[in-house]
Amino acid sequence: MRFFSTNNSNNIVDLREAVLHSMPADKGLYMPCEIPTLKSSFFKSAANISLSEIAYEMAYPFLSKDFSKADIHEIIERSVTFPAPLVQVEKGIHSLELWHGPTLAFKDFGARFMAALMSRLVEQEDRELHILVATSGDTGGAVASGFLGVPNVKVTILFPQGKVSPLQEKQLTSLGQNIHAIEIDGTFDDCQAIVKRAFLDDELKAHSMMASANSINISRLIPQTFYYVHAYGQIEEKEHVQIAVPSGNFGNLTAGLLAKKMGLPISGFIAATNANTIVPQYIQTGKFNPRPSVQTISNAMDVGNPSNFPRMLLLYGGDHQAMCKDIQGFTLSDSLTKKCIQDVFEQSGYILDPHGAIAYRALKELLKKGESGIFLETAHPAKFLPVMKEVLGEIPVPKALSSLANKKAEKACFPADYEQVKEHLLNKA
Ligand SMILES: *Cc1c(COP(=O)(O)O)cnc(C)c1O
């Protein structure tokens, strides 16, 4: 498969270039040159085949030019290592639980697949691959876990001091081996600015081969198409399915749109956001107005300029009306999100996290008669303990999280100063 830049359709690269470099020099986003379609019999059979079998069929057209069938199987076996069960919350409304991976958020799907793919792509290189990533929450942990122990790869994660939860921080700082964490006395934007500058730095580039693991990497979207088909396989009422996606940078929803283009026979999507309402407003008005993000209790969706929007637009040929046929918008305030978590717990005993709760509520308000709904549960509620405690009191904490508390953390600390971080990177390498 070859990929082109959303900023210039003549800028075409192979899989290796798109995956190892994430972003074209023209600052566009890579998209597949043609979107493969699968037979309707494949989607009909989704109920009877496993998530890894679905994954193989869907990944194959993207990878078959660069890898053998055995290699593709191996990449899938290494990355799809946990289930994505569909759980009925009430009649007609189902939760697709995407938090059964090692870091308890859906980002494990993208990060593990990217890690498996990148580690194969660097096998032919004689230099070490250095992955740099800035994180404000779940991405860093998933990337760290995905690359842990991968030979010939080193990972450095930059995170803003005091702006990731204590458990999230432990997920970044306690792994050791080839994973290094740097705490920046600054904001997420400072971290991202340092990472971006590092990629343009000739001295660093001469030192090691550098790649980014940020969420715009196309290899993170491919594996996110798998679970949409798996969810469709598991739902009983297959006629008029709506899928609500709690969204921030809109990678998850873009993957859903890809799955639909590949043939997944669902009716449509709901773009569910918190107070950062840029995309729902675009759906409503046809105007895309990025602005500074607002802080909310669903912090993984606090994004003011959704980076995947150009991909969404491109999938509809820039046609606002066409996009509106497939996507409805929905937004929910923090106070109503808390109320929703409380109501659902009282009615059914199901514990929603603050992100999934918005998507649940979207289905509740927008599903029409005869439609059935799936919402994506993007993280385990225990990743957001302070809010959950406030709303529901104590909730069960999985061992993968509680055991982190006793682990030894290691991190380097720097001010938001590029030269100091660069010096550190050069000395460590
Ligand atoms: C990253 C994240 C989101 C937002 O996903 P996008 O693909 O950026 O829209 C939603 N929920 C959780 C828990 C996340 O970590």
Side-chain angles (χ1 to χ4, degrees):
M1 176 74 66
R2 293 159 72 75
F3 299 85
F4 70 96
S5 165
T6 52
N7 277 354
N8 174 3
S9 56
N10 295 321
N11 183 359
I12 293 174
V13 300
D14 62 7
L15 179 78
R16 175 186 196 81
E17 170 72 21
V19 172
L20 290 182
H21 290 131
S22 279
M23 203 194 235
D26 63 21
K27 305 235 167 77
L29 299 169
Y30 285 122
M31 280 296 271
C33 283
E34 73 270 3
I35 294 172
T37 51
L38 286 93
K39 293 197 188 97
S40 65
S41 58
F42 164 70
F43 297 99
K44 284 206 184 88
S45 74
N48 309 318
I49 59 177
S50 68
L51 178 56
S52 6
E53 286 167 311
I54 290 173
Y56 176 83
E57 296 298 330
M58 298 191 74
Y60 182 81
F62 291 102
L63 305 185
S64 60
K65 206 165 160 286
D66 296 76
F67 293 100
S68 69
K69 286 183 174 168
D71 284 343
I72 300 172
H73 273 297
E74 195 224 287
I75 289 165
I76 298 298
E77 290 319 309
R78 271 175 65 179
S79 48
V80 184
T81 52
F82 48 89
L86 189 73
V87 175
Q88 178 162 333
V89 175
E90 61 197 57
K91 195 168 181 309
I93 296 191
H94 307 75
S95 168
L96 181 67
E97 295 182 347
L98 299 176
W99 45 257
H100 292 268
T103 70
L104 306 172
F106 82 93
K107 302 232 166 46
D108 282 326
F109 280 95
R112 298 188 87 72
F113 185 84
M114 177 174 57
L117 200 55
M118 278 188 179
S119 66
R120 289 308 303 263
L121 293 172
V122 294
E123 271 171 8
Q124 300 118 8
E125 301 282 338
D126 51 3
R127 292 195 299 168
E128 185 183 55
L129 178 70
H130 189 175
I131 309 263
L132 270 184
V133 61
T135 186
S136 60
D138 291 325
T139 293
V143 167
S145 160
F147 282 100
L148 181 66
V150 171
N152 232 2
V153 177
K154 182 173 76 178
V155 178
T156 303
I157 302 163
L158 277 72
F159 67 96
Q161 183 177 35
K163 297 196 178 62
V164 304
S165 80
L167 284 178
Q168 282 174 330
E169 180 173 332
K170 270 289 170 74
Q171 287 183 324
L172 312 174
T173 54
S174 67
L175 290 170
Q177 297 186 50
N178 58 333
I179 313 295
H180 308 279
I182 301 181
E183 181 182 83
I184 298 292
D185 186 2
T187 62
F188 170 68
D189 292 331
D190 293 327
C191 297
Q192 192 143 38
I194 292 172
V195 167
K196 281 195 175 149
R197 212 171 139 187
F199 282 117
L200 301 173
D201 192 311
D202 289 331
E203 218 177 323
L204 282 172
K205 282 201 284 197
H207 220 270
S208 57
M209 189 165 65
M210 290 199 297
S212 153
N214 59 15
S215 64
I216 55 166
N217 195 300
I218 187 74
S219 70
R220 287 179 52 168
L221 291 193
I222 296 168
Q224 290 179 217
T225 62
F226 307 160
Y227 48 70
Y228 283 96
V229 177
H230 187 51
Y232 177 77
Q234 292 174 79
I235 197 167
E236 248 167 62
E237 292 298 327
K238 292 187 173 10
E239 277 303 308
H240 305 283
V241 179
Q242 289 284 347
I243 304 185
V245 186
S247 294
N249 259 325
F250 282 81
N252 213 352
L253 181 58
T254 303
L257 300 177
L258 272 178
K260 191 165 190 285
K261 282 247 166 185
M262 292 171 79
L264 180 66
I266 59 160
S267 302
F269 294 95
I270 304 172
T273 74
N274 56 29
N276 297 282
T277 60
I278 291 82
V279 171
Q281 270 175 10
Y282 170 79
I283 302 283
Q284 203 175 28
T285 65
K287 294 200 175 65
F288 184 68
N289 259 332
R291 49 186 179 271
S293 65
V294 188
Q295 198 173 349
T296 73
I297 58 166
S298 44
N299 63 310
M301 314 200 304
D302 294 348
V303 179
N305 189 1
S307 55
N308 280 288
F309 186 73
R311 284 187 170 127
M312 294 171 64
L313 204 54
L314 192 113
L315 285 169
Y316 291 97
D319 183 342
H320 171 246
Q321 282 306 316
M323 193 193 284
C324 293
K325 285 202 184 100
D326 278 357
I327 310 175
Q328 305 173 73
F330 179 80
T331 64
L332 199 66
S333 68
D334 277 357
S335 58
L336 288 175
T337 304
K338 289 181 191 169
K339 183 170 179 328
C340 173
I341 294 171
Q342 201 162 25
D343 289 348
V344 169
F345 183 69
E346 276 163 19
Q347 282 153 24
S348 66
Y350 194 81
I351 303 179
L352 295 165
D353 97 292
H355 306 78
I358 298 178
Y360 163 88
R361 193 69 218 164
L363 291 177
K364 226 25 207 178
E365 294 192 17
L366 297 179
L367 269 191
K368 296 188 193 78
K369 211 168 177 273
E371 288 181 332
S372 46
I374 295 169
F375 66 95
L376 306 194
E377 245 310 350
T378 44
H380 191 287
K383 285 195 103 170
F384 313 98
L385 272 185
V387 187
M388 297 309 296
K389 275 190 179 151
E390 182 198 323
V391 181
L392 297 183
E394 294 294 334
I395 62 163
V397 178
K399 226 168 148 216
L401 284 182
S402 58
S403 65
L404 283 173
N406 308 318
K407 287 221 175 119
K408 208 169 141 278
E410 242 177 271
K411 64 187 176 190
C413 305
F414 288 101
D417 176 66
Y418 179 71
E419 293 303 330
Q420 289 186 46
V421 175
K422 174 181 170 181
E423 198 57 35
H424 176 76
L425 293 175
L426 282 172
N427 289 336
K428 274 235 133 172

